[in-house]
Amino acid sequence: MNEAGRGILAAHQIAALAEAGAVLREAPFAAGQIQPASLDLRLGKRAWRMRASFLPGRARTVGDCISHIALHEIDLTQGAVLETETVYLAELEESLALPGDIAAATNPKSSTGRIDVFTRVIADRAREFDMIEAGYRGPLFAEISPRTFPVLARRGSRLSQI
């Protein structure tokens, strides 16, 4: 996350934002989830196999897009195998209610790259991947596409960071 014009927030600032309600979560943060300058994002309960990658654009939510281009829903609570060269979209356990002067950027965790899984984060009404506008309020989703071999994904897996 970054404060408009002020750079990257430190761990204690991220924790304070969460305590203030700017980072909402379905479950308490896991040990080590808040890093020195980022917050790991966890996969939620559901994912969808998608026809293609997409951005919702200014007028649509990610949910609107899911209803039009998802092939089927996948339960991540027990884990599920994600096949190579396929696009999946997973809900994240964290959502945001950012103040008007705070924007955020996301990127894959380095461990995600080492296992050759392509991932990026999408927000409602987004016009670009991995960028969350200042003042955004809403859910976050991860687009996931394993490249070299299938991977087992489950609720709580950490593939991206904000």
Side-chain angles (χ1 to χ4, degrees):
M1 289 190 232
N2 68 16
E3 196 166 355
R6 295 192 188 163
I8 296 172
L9 300 180
H12 71 279
Q13 294 170 303
I14 295 168
L17 273 176
E19 287 302 313
V23 180
L24 308 170
R25 52 207 182 266
E26 290 183 22
F29 287 139
Q33 190 175 348
I34 297 178
Q35 300 291 321
S38 65
L39 170 68
D40 292 346
L41 298 172
R42 300 171 291 185
L43 298 183
K45 300 174 192 173
R46 300 179 300 166
W48 296 265
R49 184 175 176 166
M50 305 300 288
R51 295 180 199 278
S53 179
F54 70 93
L55 279 169
R58 281 268 180 229
R60 301 182 77 179
T61 66
V62 174
D64 293 338
C65 297
I66 290 170
S67 66
H68 288 96
I69 59 176
L71 296 170
H72 61 272
E73 187 174 310
I74 300 164
D75 180 2
L76 294 180
T77 59
Q78 300 301 312
V81 174
L82 305 183
E83 299 293 336
T84 59
E85 301 303 320
T86 303
V87 176
Y88 298 90
L89 185 73
E91 62 188 5
L92 295 176
E93 287 196 354
E94 291 74 32
S95 60
L96 299 175
L98 295 176
D101 63 341
I102 302 275
T106 66
N107 57 279
K109 292 178 57 66
S110 59
S111 57
T112 305
R114 286 193 294 273
I115 60 172
D116 203 19
V117 174
F118 179 77
T119 183
R120 50 194 179 181
V121 173
I122 305 172
D124 287 345
R125 295 172 185 80
R127 294 183 294 166
E128 61 183 307
F129 296 103
D130 295 323
M131 300 304 295
I132 315 300
E133 292 183 355
Y136 176 76
R137 294 178 180 278
L140 298 173
F141 297 84
E143 180 183 292
I144 306 164
S145 184
R147 297 296 192 203
T148 306
F149 48 86
V151 296
L152 178 64
R154 63 175 47 110
R155 182 180 187 191
S157 295
R158 301 182 209 175
L159 302 178
S160 297
Q161 57 195 3
I162 190 168

